[in-house]
Amino acid sequence: MTRDLVREAVRRLPARQRRLLLLRDVDGMSHERIADVLRVSPGSVHGALHRARERFKEHYVVLEGRQPGGGECAKVGFAIENLQRSAVRRDRLRSIERHVDECSACRDRFGPSEAIRFGVCSN
């Protein structure tokens, strides 16, 4: 399910953003190498890649929100499945923890191992 959502979110990106994400996150190219391939500055790659990731996240959350348990469950799911704990603000971590504690669907979906890995301690 997640793999299909990721593919669809990537497919919905504009061609240039899709290419940037694939070059960096799939092929593992450095910003400098991508800049050479696209004939742009490394700084423009950095900015464009940031925008591509933001747009990907928007598409992913919308797509996941159409699944059962959408809305806040989709945002929590995205964070647990795709983000490193250090990339999430402290207040958002508390929000995720509260949501998992209160939402039986998310507790069932992620179970204690995913919640613990992410730093969310649910009962």
Side-chain angles (χ1 to χ4, degrees):
M1 177 170 109
T2 300
R3 181 177 291 159
D4 294 334
L5 293 175
V6 168
R7 284 185 179 142
E8 180 61 21
V10 169
R11 189 190 66 73
R12 291 179 179 211
L13 292 172
R16 178 180 163 91
Q17 289 184 345
R18 184 172 49 249
R19 186 168 185 209
L20 277 167
L21 276 180
L22 294 176
L23 290 172
R24 178 69 182 136
D25 295 336
V26 175
D27 296 338
M29 286 188 184
S30 68
H31 288 168
E32 291 78 16
R33 178 70 181 119
I34 295 170
D36 288 343
V37 168
L38 299 179
R39 300 175 197 251
V40 295
S41 72
S44 67
V45 168
H46 183 76
L49 191 56
H50 174 76
R51 289 186 296 278
R53 287 181 174 145
E54 288 297 311
R55 184 169 285 180
F56 166 83
K57 184 171 104 176
E58 291 168 7
H59 288 308
Y60 183 90
V61 168
V62 167
L63 289 166
E64 190 174 46
R66 294 182 186 164
Q67 306 296 316
E72 187 63 19
C73 292
K75 293 176 187 175
V76 166
F78 180 87
I80 290 174
E81 291 177 339
N82 300 291
L83 302 177
Q84 295 296 319
R85 185 177 195 276
S86 60
V88 181
R89 291 187 334 248
R90 189 176 299 160
D91 63 319
R92 184 66 180 137
L93 284 172
R94 285 191 298 269
S95 173
I96 291 168
E97 182 177 46
R98 273 193 307 276
H99 179 83
V100 172
D101 284 343
E102 296 170 1
C103 178
S104 62
C106 285
R107 273 196 315 275
D108 292 345
R109 178 178 174 191
F110 299 112
S113 62
E114 276 300 304
I116 290 168
R117 179 194 67 74
F118 191 70
V120 175
C121 302
S122 62
N123 296 341

